[in-house]
Amino acid sequence: MSDLLWQGLPWTMLLVGSTTVIAFVLGTGIGAVAGWKAGSRFDTVVSPLTTFVSAIPYFWMALIGLWLFGFQLGWFPLAGGYDADLPIGFSPSFLLSVLHYGVLPATTIVFSAFGGWLLGMRNMTVTTVREDYVLLAQAKGLSNRRVMLRYAARNAVLPNFTGFALALGHVVGGALLTEVVFNYPGVGYLLFTSLQQRDYPVMQGVFFLIIAAGGGGTHLPEDPDP
């Protein structure tokens, strides 16, 4: 049982951990710009579009991405985490295979998750730009970029950092639907196969690992609280 857990854990941490960081950085950066330029053409396009994308069920997005880019265009593999013909190791060919197999599931997770970070950061930035210390910085004649980065965004990002710290605790739990749809060899897919086979010791080991990591359960990427 422990061997199965240690085999699946690195794959889940690689996929979900990296996508959590990418979604946080991407969403926070774009959200800060949208909040700073609230009411502009950029904001009126990005915010409604992000709200629409966030409302799409994740499994639909994953299945559409798999059908379009994997089945129709053939750009990415349909299942797995690496080429089974290659020996597992740190060789360039194996690492490139892992990257090739992981791009599509990682992209769908980032595309689904970054909207929550974006909207949360955008709303906090809109509130922060009205604070006195931001108005004072503008009155001093500081550049808009410096005021946005050093005063507005720096303070508005604090709630997002709290949500990011909590999201890191969910990394071990993985994204069950992601790993099931793409047959990705992580902890979530191990839990799915153990449920099918009624392998209760493995199920208990997966749940213990998730609870010990502070994840609280296997889940999809969640939107942070704004």
Side-chain angles (χ1 to χ4, degrees):
M1 179 187 69
S2 60
D3 293 338
L4 294 175
L5 293 176
W6 286 114
Q7 288 175 7
L9 182 60
W11 294 100
T12 294
M13 295 186 68
L14 175 65
L15 177 66
V16 185
S18 59
T19 53
T20 299
V21 174
I22 293 172
F24 170 77
V25 173
L26 184 64
T28 300
I30 299 176
V33 176
W36 179 258
K37 298 181 178 181
S40 66
R41 180 176 300 179
F42 178 79
D43 180 46
T44 55
V45 172
V46 169
S47 298
L49 182 61
T50 303
T51 304
F52 172 76
V53 171
S54 300
I56 299 175
Y58 172 76
F59 66 91
W60 275 49
M61 192 179 301
L63 289 173
I64 291 174
L66 187 63
W67 174 81
L68 178 60
F69 298 105
F71 182 73
Q72 292 292 334
L73 299 177
W75 292 354
F76 301 103
L78 296 176
Y82 58 94
D83 190 347
D85 296 332
L86 296 175
I88 298 178
F90 291 98
S91 63
S93 57
F94 179 76
L95 295 178
L96 288 175
S97 175
V98 171
L99 180 62
H100 186 212
Y101 275 77
V103 166
L104 186 57
T107 301
T108 57
I109 293 177
V110 170
F111 197 68
S112 176
F114 92 99
W117 302 112
L118 189 154
L119 293 175
M121 184 64 182
R122 186 260 179 199
N123 294 337
M124 286 302 303
T125 303
V126 170
T127 302
T128 304
V129 295
R130 301 170 184 169
E131 298 292 338
D132 293 338
Y133 56 84
V134 176
L135 298 177
L136 178 61
Q138 291 175 322
K140 289 181 177 179
L142 300 178
S143 64
N144 286 333
R145 181 178 179 182
R146 185 176 181 182
V147 174
M148 181 184 73
L149 295 178
R150 296 290 299 276
Y151 293 87
R154 189 174 182 178
N155 291 278
V157 78
L158 296 178
N160 262 20
F161 269 131
T162 303
F164 178 67
L166 295 174
L168 290 179
H170 291 280
V171 166
V172 175
L176 176 60
L177 287 181
T178 304
E179 297 181 357
V180 171
V181 170
F182 294 96
N183 288 339
Y184 196 81
V187 173
Y189 186 72
L190 176 62
L191 177 60
F192 175 72
T193 55
S194 62
L195 285 170
Q196 288 183 317
Q197 301 170 4
R198 297 187 180 182
D199 191 341
Y200 297 110
V202 174
M203 292 166 55
Q204 291 174 343
V206 172
F207 286 132
F208 176 78
L209 183 63
I210 293 172
I211 294 172
T218 305
H219 70 297
L220 282 175
E222 297 179 355
D223 294 343
D225 293 332

